Amino acid sequence: MMKLDPASRIFCALDTPDVAAARKLSHALKGAVGGVKLGLEFFAANGPKGVAEISGMPVFLDLKLHDIPNTVAGAVRSVLPLNPAILTVHAAGGAAMLRAAAEAAKEKTGKSGGVRPKLVAVTVLTSLDQGDLQETGIRDKVSDQVRRLASLAQNCGIDGAVCSAHEIAALRADCGPDFTLVVPGLRPPWAAAQDQKRVTAPIEALELGADILVIGRPITGASDPRQAALRIAGELAAF
Ligand code: C5P
């Protein structure tokens, strides 16, 4: 992957349903991070209009789309006017759904401006353990299922996967250097772990092969979010 400015690799998770709070944070973070991540909580509360209010920096729309191929393709087309830089889909939706999503994303053309979003697959949610997978009929190890789903997504034209830091090495080996690995669950050494159980420092994630780092509360919960983001970006500069 091309060498990027370290700050541009950070996407700050704005986990809030509050548009004003998200707007304030995104203004404060301009130039200090690569973009912001808005999830289902924000989208369910505010819809596309709310997303459109978060302007001036790339948006990672974490909608984790999972439905029949036609519906997912329609949902991808519906969010294209918002110009998301990154959009998530569930790899468990299967090959036809993944291909339909990838095709729909290509419909982004020059007329409305913007670049085609990077489509990134969610594999096995980290909230699921071996027992939870078994209950859904999957007897493989979680790590094997993660690898299987990431490769499936790649073979269907998806650009990358969301993964935890301890899955980076395996997915990088399986999927090669051009597959975008998006990694959450990161904590700089000076920040509290909160509810994240296995935390990795942002720079360690880069060293392992991550491309995009998703960091929320160490930035959003800091007394000066911009300073916190700049501090993390400064630490990444050593990479
Ligand atoms: O505040 P924090 O840095 O923990 O936020 C991390 C973000 O990444 C949240 O939006 C969370 O939903 C998301 N995420 C995660 N762990 C995963 C997948 C996504 O924390 N395994």
Side-chain angles (χ1 to χ4, degrees), residues 124 128-149:
V124 179
L128 302 178
D129 64 14
Q130 206 65 54
D132 297 314
L133 272 195
Q134 281 210 6
E135 281 178 347
T136 69
I138 293 160
R139 306 207 171 276
D140 289 315
K141 285 195 337 202
V142 172
S143 56
D144 290 340
Q145 181 67 355
V146 166
R147 292 174 73 170
R148 172 185 294 128
L149 288 174

Side-chain angles (χ1 to χ4, degrees), residues 17 19 38-53 61 82:
V19 180
L38 299 172
L40 269 179
E41 184 185 11
F42 185 91
F43 198 75
N46 307 299
K49 282 205 179 91
V51 177
E53 288 204 36
L61 209 43
L82 295 169

Side-chain angles (χ1 to χ4, degrees), residues 22 173 213 222:
L213 311 175

Side-chain angles (χ1 to χ4, degrees), residues 192-215:
Q194 283 119 350
D195 54 355
Q196 298 283 10
K197 291 195 179 128
R198 291 179 300 268
V199 296
T200 301
I203 188 146
E204 283 178 72
L206 285 190
E207 284 162 358
L208 288 164
D211 297 302
I212 304 282
L213 311 175
V214 174
I215 304 174

Side-chain angles (χ1 to χ4, degrees), residues 13 15 37 64 126 162 184-187 195-196 214-218:
D15 288 315
K37 180 172 90 76
K64 297 187 171 67
T126 43
V162 182
L186 303 172
R187 289 292 175 268
D195 54 355
Q196 298 283 10
V214 174
I215 304 174
R217 289 161 292 174

Side-chain angles (χ1 to χ4, degrees), residues 3 13 17 20 27 41 58 65 72 87 127 156 176 192 207-208 216 237:
K3 194 151 168 68
H27 280 155
E41 184 185 11
L65 301 173
V72 166
L87 177 65
S127 52
C156 295
E207 284 162 358
L208 288 164

